[in-house]
Amino acid sequence: MRPIDIAVAGCGPCGLAAALLLARDGHHVTIFERFDVAQPVGSGLMLQPTGLAVLDRLGLGAAARASGAVIERLVGRAGADGPVVLDVRYAAMRRAVTGIGIHRARLFDLLYRAARNDGIVIETGRHVVGTTLAAGGRRRVDFADGFSAGPFDLVVDTLGARSVLAPPTGRELAYGALWASLDWVDGAGFDGAALEQRYRAARQMTGVMPIGTAPDSAAPQAAFFWSLRADLFDRWQREGLAAWAADVRALWPICDALLDQIVDPGQLTFARYMHRTLSNPAAPGLIHLGDAWHSTSPQLGQGANMALLDAWALAQGVRSSGSVGEALAWTVHLRQSHIRLYQQLSYWLTPVYQSDGDLLPMLRDRLVAPVSKIAPMPFLLAHLVSGLVGAPLGRLELG
């Protein structure tokens, strides 16, 4: 395809990765970002072999590994010292792969600096509210101030699960989570190479994951989270930090070392989740990527990784097609089966770990844990968590 003009709505990891890949293929790319200063939102995330494969192609994989924390295992217990009910080890795949816990700000910084170094235009303070179809299937990008830009041959929507560019679909999930990035505390009892979780049935869950360093600090940090039903968030605010901290300590006493760092509710961000998948993520001159296409609960930790795969698939589609319409159809073809598989798996697993019922967590604690130790379950679970079920890397020529 000849070089084309592309607008990317949103300056998160998905938008930055798509912009980098497309610009390096010779296309003219402009990113539009709503905030006056582009910045990440959230605490930490886990990069899986899938997302790392894309970062490697961008030349950023080594830096992500160096600044993040190696995650060898996901482990969860019923209560502070109760039975292990989740134990997933990457070593079960008998391959030299692990997860990487990384601060969102660090991942953003790596991609943002690369985009700046490549000369990609990033226009901030541009609140995208819609697009207008123009002649020849091109699109203009419309902003909240009444102005517009373009037309562009292609608009890439990476505005997230509540994107104004995507048709409404799906549903809000009952449970969200409080997140914070805190200093890692040596000697507190946390595993420095694991994502650890503690559960009380499926109504309460807390977790800790090492995430390496933030861009402005050499001190290692941890992502700390607490599951919370969304309709109880106002009550949580009214009751105050002391009451909440007592609940956390009752479930997992060693969290004291982290809770001591939280002195203001503003240190915690409440994240809401949606389960949604667009049946058709492409339209003339427009494609939705990442959470704008598909979003779900974070139980399998695939969000950023799936978004990076989407960005790579779009670049592949544009490289191998003679028109924008062809490229978008090929992008959807490359990603659809993998997305459907993980969306369905997440849909089934969410109530096992975040719900008000007692039966599913009881079955989880009494049946799932023992069965997960029997071959080939350790192998299959590791593949599931790593994002490799469905062989997405081979399909995308990333393997």
Side-chain angles (χ1 to χ4, degrees):
M1 194 187 298
R2 63 174 176 79
I4 60 175
D5 291 322
I6 301 172
V8 176
C11 192
C14 183
L16 287 165
L20 280 164
L21 291 164
L22 293 164
R24 290 178 181 181
D25 282 348
H27 304 289
H28 181 263
V29 181
T30 304
I31 299 175
F32 295 109
E33 168 57 39
R34 163 172 94 140
F35 295 109
D36 291 332
V37 177
Q39 57 190 336
V41 177
S43 172
L45 59 88
M46 196 187 307
L47 289 170
Q48 302 292 357
T50 48
L52 286 165
V54 177
L55 292 176
D56 284 336
R57 296 299 183 98
L58 287 168
L60 302 174
R65 292 178 178 88
S67 57
V70 172
I71 305 296
E72 299 173 348
R73 180 187 182 202
L74 283 67
V75 59
R77 291 180 178 272
D81 298 306
V84 173
V85 299
L86 172 72
D87 192 356
V88 180
R89 301 169 187 253
Y90 288 90
M93 291 191 288
R94 299 183 290 279
R95 297 168 60 181
V97 297
T98 65
I100 298 292
I102 192 167
H103 200 297
R104 283 184 184 271
R106 175 68 76 173
L107 177 61
F108 172 84
D109 187 64
L110 291 173
L111 290 162
Y112 186 78
R113 286 176 182 271
R116 283 298 196 193
N117 289 341
D118 283 12
I120 295 172
V121 177
I122 302 175
E123 296 192 15
T124 57
R126 300 284 253 166
H127 185 182
V128 176
V129 295
T131 67
T132 303
L133 197 59
R138 305 181 85 205
R139 283 185 183 265
R140 299 191 66 83
V141 178
D142 304 319
F143 306 108
D145 59 9
F147 290 92
S148 65
F152 298 93
D153 298 293
L154 173 62
V155 175
V156 181
D157 172 21
T158 66
L159 292 176
R162 294 166 179 82
S163 170
V164 294
L165 302 185
T169 187
R171 62 183 178 86
E172 296 269 1
L173 295 177
Y175 276 78
L178 293 162
W179 286 87
S181 297
L182 305 169
D183 292 336
W184 181 264
V185 181
D186 285 324
F190 300 111
D191 188 332
L195 164 58
E196 295 186 90
Q197 297 176 339
R198 296 295 184 270
Y199 318 110
R200 181 173 289 119
R203 287 181 290 275
Q204 289 184 331
M205 173 173 65
T206 191
V208 174
M209 179 178 71
I211 55 174
T213 59
D216 56 352
S217 172
Q221 292 198 311
F224 170 79
F225 61 91
W226 173 264
S227 179
L228 182 68
R229 218 172 68 193
D231 62 353
L232 298 179
F233 178 64
D234 288 342
R235 190 173 85 181
W236 173 82
Q237 290 181 304
R238 289 194 304 271
E239 290 179 348
L241 286 178
W244 168 72
D247 284 343
V248 178
R249 290 187 181 97
L251 180 56
W252 198 5
I254 66 171
C255 285
D256 254 342
L258 298 176
L259 293 170
D260 287 345
Q261 301 177 43
I262 303 174
V263 296
D264 187 296
Q267 292 174 256
L268 294 154
T269 299
F270 184 62
R272 291 291 310 265
Y273 303 114
M274 294 183 69
H275 188 93
R276 63 189 293 280
T277 310
L278 293 180
S279 57
N280 186 4
L286 173 67
I287 189 164
H288 310 280
L289 299 185
D291 282 354
W293 177 355
H294 48 83
S295 64
T296 187
S297 75
Q299 299 307 323
L300 289 174
Q302 299 298 319
N305 301 281
M306 299 288 271
L308 290 169
L309 290 178
D310 291 352
W312 177 263
L314 175 61
Q316 286 284 80
V318 173
R319 284 183 202 129
S320 59
S321 303
S323 70
V324 171
E326 244 180 76
L328 301 189
W330 188 241
T331 301
V332 175
H333 171 74
L334 287 173
R335 291 292 296 131
Q336 202 160 44
S337 61
H338 186 239
I339 288 167
R340 283 175 175 168
L341 174 62
Y342 271 85
Q343 288 291 94
Q344 195 61 52
L345 290 168
S346 295
Y347 181 80
W348 289 336
L349 282 172
T350 295
V352 176
Y353 293 95
Q354 287 187 313
S355 66
D356 295 326
D358 293 313
L359 179 60
L360 284 176
M362 183 187 70
L363 293 173
R364 174 197 69 196
D365 297 351
R366 297 186 182 182
L367 296 178
V368 175
V371 169
S372 68
K373 297 181 176 68
I374 302 170
M377 286 305 295
F379 176 85
L380 295 174
L381 286 171
H383 266 77
L384 174 64
V385 167
S386 67
L388 295 173
V389 174
L393 299 186
R395 188 177 183 85
L396 294 170
E397 299 179 16
L398 279 167

